[in-house]
Amino acid sequence: MSELSQLRKELKALSSPERAVGSAKTKVFGQDDYGAGDVFLGITVPNTRLVAKKFRDLPQEELVTLANSKYHEERLTALIILNHKYAKARDDSERIELFEFWLMLVKAYKVNNWDLIDASAPYMGEILSRHLGYGAPFLRALAKSENLWERRASIILTFPLIRKGKHGPTLAMAKEALTDEHHLIHKAAGWMLREVGKRDKDLLTDFLVKYKNQMPRTMLRYAIEKYSENQRKAFLAKD
């Protein structure tokens, strides 16, 4: 039995039809929105991560097959394995190859839900601190894409930079999100702004004071979660 067959067998053993129905209700929002056509096995994320860790050395050709699966959890498993491979990459050439493979999956709508972006972009975004080719023009192009998942990636990819104390790209992508119409972009931008605030509250406060009247309310609410109740009320009160 191939590694891929064994992996799929172990995932299937952890599946639950009842959980699959619940997953579909929270992650599929119709043909004109996101998650359309997704099929779920009904596996918890912790169990998915355990299987991915066990098969983290899955050969590249089998990883490609898994990443193109019709099953949501199989694609999630592939992305987590990709994270493991990126973390163990020997050099930037290998890292770029893995990142470009991930980006191709995003562009091809294989990474087609918020949880798939959020499980992979915070890891794959490490390349931004290594290669100038993935700088501001690259992120801005993603932010302006018609592909919802490229737009969400544009902000979540900056998470590793936040951890390194480099907040400029996050703030730039948050500005791009001000005019985006999708709530999943508002949530992502608010989340990343909150992460900036955990490390530099003054910087976040300055951003909020300047843009709070332009920010979608969901984005603003996510960004100010760590402020006091009185501060939150003040930010939510439009000038």
Side-chain angles (χ1 to χ4, degrees):
M1 180 181 293
S2 70
E3 283 192 64
L4 178 58
S5 296
Q6 183 62 35
L7 182 157
R8 283 175 157 163
K9 180 180 179 181
E10 294 194 18
L11 285 177
K12 184 67 174 178
L14 295 167
S15 66
S16 162
E18 294 79 12
R19 191 178 295 113
V21 172
S23 296
K25 287 181 179 179
T26 60
K27 293 173 183 164
V28 177
F29 286 79
Q31 293 300 320
D32 296 326
D33 207 329
Y34 64 90
D38 245 357
V39 181
F40 294 85
L41 292 168
I43 307 169
T44 65
V45 173
N47 280 338
T48 303
R49 290 189 177 279
L50 287 174
V51 173
K53 184 176 181 180
K54 180 176 179 180
F55 291 91
R56 60 186 179 273
D57 295 323
L58 189 73
Q60 186 72 14
E61 62 273 15
E62 295 193 329
L63 181 62
V64 171
T65 300
L66 189 66
N68 284 279
S69 171
K70 69 177 182 179
Y71 293 112
H72 185 95
E73 293 91 343
E74 288 193 353
R75 298 199 307 281
L76 176 58
T77 303
L79 294 171
I80 298 171
I81 291 173
L82 197 61
N83 293 341
H84 285 296
K85 288 183 180 296
Y86 183 94
K88 289 187 174 183
R90 294 162 294 182
D91 52 40
D92 280 355
S93 177
E94 186 176 352
R95 293 184 185 96
I96 291 171
E97 181 180 347
L98 292 167
F99 178 77
E100 288 293 334
F101 172 60
W102 174 82
L103 188 61
M104 179 272 292
L105 294 174
V106 176
K107 290 179 179 294
Y109 289 86
K110 299 302 179 181
V111 183
N112 68 333
N113 222 308
W114 59 265
D115 62 320
L116 300 180
I117 289 288
D118 296 358
S120 53
Y123 297 88
M124 304 307 293
E126 195 271 347
I127 196 68
L128 272 60
S129 63
R130 291 180 175 273
H131 197 282
L132 294 176
Y134 303 114
F138 166 76
L139 290 175
R140 194 171 296 113
L142 291 180
K144 295 183 180 301
S145 172
E146 293 183 1
N147 181 336
L148 170 62
W149 310 115
E150 289 185 60
R151 302 205 308 275
R152 188 169 175 100
S154 73
I155 185 73
I156 305 296
L157 280 170
T158 68
F159 203 170
L161 299 179
I162 296 174
R163 295 190 182 110
K164 292 177 179 290
K166 300 176 180 179
H167 305 315
T170 303
L171 298 183
M173 291 304 99
K175 290 179 186 178
E176 293 286 345
L178 292 174
T179 55
D180 199 291
E181 296 182 354
H182 205 288
H183 68 94
L184 286 181
I185 305 305
H186 305 162
K187 290 178 179 179
W191 170 26
M192 290 300 102
L193 286 173
R194 186 173 70 237
E195 291 298 326
V196 169
K198 288 179 182 179
R199 296 154 177 86
D200 191 333
K201 193 170 185 178
D202 289 341
L203 182 63
L204 175 58
T205 299
D206 290 344
F207 184 91
L208 294 173
V209 168
K210 185 173 183 179
Y211 294 107
K212 71 183 183 97
N213 291 330
Q214 302 174 45
M215 291 174 70
R217 302 302 272 179
T218 297
M219 180 177 168
L220 180 57
R221 290 182 185 278
Y222 269 59
I224 63 177
E225 282 184 358
K226 297 300 180 179
Y227 285 85
S228 69
E229 182 178 357
N230 286 338
Q231 288 173 317
R232 294 197 301 273
K233 288 181 178 179
F235 280 123
L236 289 168
K238 290 190 175 183
D239 296 335

